[in-house]
Amino acid sequence: MYALVHHQISDPEKFLAITQSGATFPAGFEVLAFLPDAAHKTATCIWEAPDTTSLRNLLEPVLGNTAVNSYLAIDETIALGLSKLKEAELHA
């Protein structure tokens, strides 16, 4: 499934250091897009994950108190642009 994670960032320097660290994730978890705003106060990510609960359990310990995070399952049947992400993923 695809999930959207929205981050309200409280510690931009630490949050960005974590996201840029090159961490590897278990099988079944892949970040497809990391989209920070210009001020680094918020960011949105698109993930491929088994479900939002397991994604939350993976990310919360890593991100700690650097951000407040919201997790949403994407409705793939009506989403726009996912096919481009899927295609890019196949050619990566």
Side-chain angles (χ1 to χ4, degrees):
M1 72 156 290
Y2 291 90
L4 180 140
V5 182
H6 183 72
H7 310 279
Q8 292 285 8
I9 303 168
S10 57
D11 187 340
E13 187 175 321
K14 189 173 180 183
F15 180 88
L16 292 173
I18 292 167
T19 61
Q20 302 300 305
S21 70
T24 58
F25 301 104
F29 294 90
E30 183 176 0
V31 63
L32 302 177
F34 172 65
L35 308 164
D37 75 321
H40 303 153
K41 301 277 186 189
T42 64
T44 300
C45 296
I46 299 174
W47 281 82
E48 188 168 9
D51 55 72
T52 56
T53 300
S54 59
L55 183 57
R56 178 187 310 270
N57 292 340
L58 176 73
L59 291 181
E60 291 298 321
V62 173
L63 296 175
N65 63 356
T66 64
V68 175
N69 310 300
S70 302
Y71 299 81
L72 305 165
I74 295 174
D75 183 346
E76 296 178 46
T77 63
I78 60 173
L80 300 175
L82 274 182
S83 61
K84 290 180 183 178
L85 282 176
K86 290 178 187 180
E87 184 178 318
E89 183 181 6
L90 292 173
H91 294 103

